[in-house]
Amino acid sequence: MNSPDDEKVGAAVTLGLLAAWALHDAEELATVPGWWRRSLPALRERFPTVPEAVWRRAEPADGREFAVAVGVMAAVVASASAAGRLTGGRSAAYQTALNAFGLHGLVHLAQAGLVRGYTPGSATSPLVVVPFTLWARHRLRRAGVLRATRPRDLAVGFGLAGAAVAGSHVVARRLTGATSARPR
């Protein structure tokens, strides 16, 4: 049975995380492979102090592997959104994912600023990612279910998000049978 606070949060806040993520990742699916191929030579020239090993590590997966990795990540975000829905927004997993999503959007904006131009994800970050995160946190706060967020919590959430991204690429590589020329 839902409490009155659960009703204040609603599906738009909790399942909305998955919807906002899907819009954002649709942009990434459409742009990452081509953008990376076109931009890598200029990035290497512009940032010559970055070690070659970093560039090799950053090379994207082929389009199929990238799409599967996005699908794996969709399962992670869907799980967090469902946990949020089932708990009226109280779930630590949901709130951590929401915070990580917002921080992820800020990283996209910082990347675009660093390269002084478009980077995959930077169009939907100011239009979808950051506004949704702020709105959802506001709704959670009004419902009295938003957990206090300390810098340590943000760092842990961001670290978990990074691990989920890396893990999704490992799973995608195994599922697609892709081999990578990148050294491990």
Side-chain angles (χ1 to χ4, degrees):
M1 192 90 167
N2 289 346
S3 74
D5 284 346
D6 293 343
E7 295 305 319
K8 289 182 197 173
V9 170
V13 174
T14 54
L15 299 179
L17 173 60
L18 179 59
W21 176 86
L23 284 170
H24 175 68
D25 267 46
E27 176 194 0
E28 291 184 338
L29 274 170
T31 60
V32 164
W35 180 89
W36 191 254
R37 276 190 304 276
R38 288 186 309 275
S39 301
L40 184 59
L43 291 172
R44 281 186 162 143
E45 186 176 314
R46 183 150 177 222
F47 302 105
T49 59
V50 173
E52 184 59 29
V54 172
W55 292 120
R56 281 194 307 269
R57 237 4 187 169
E59 288 175 1
D62 67 35
R64 187 175 64 134
E65 182 185 332
F66 184 73
V68 171
V70 168
V72 172
M73 196 64 179
V76 172
V77 177
S79 296
S81 295
R85 182 67 184 138
L86 292 171
T87 62
R90 289 176 176 81
S91 164
Y94 164 73
Q95 290 191 23
T96 298
L98 177 65
N99 290 335
F101 182 60
L103 289 171
H104 171 78
L106 295 176
V107 167
H108 278 299
L109 295 175
Q111 289 170 336
L114 189 63
V115 302
R116 297 184 200 130
Y118 176 81
T119 57
S122 65
T124 52
S125 287
L127 300 174
V128 176
V129 177
V130 174
F132 174 80
T133 301
L134 294 173
W135 173 80
R137 286 181 51 82
H138 172 74
R139 293 297 302 265
L140 293 171
R141 187 178 299 108
R142 280 188 43 204
V145 299
L146 183 65
R147 298 169 185 263
T149 306
R150 303 169 307 212
R152 178 185 174 276
D153 300 326
L154 294 175
V156 167
F158 205 59
L160 290 172
V165 168
S168 71
H169 283 279
V170 168
V171 170
R173 196 168 296 123
R174 289 202 173 125
L175 288 175
T176 61
T179 58
S180 177
R182 293 177 278 178
R184 298 282 175 239

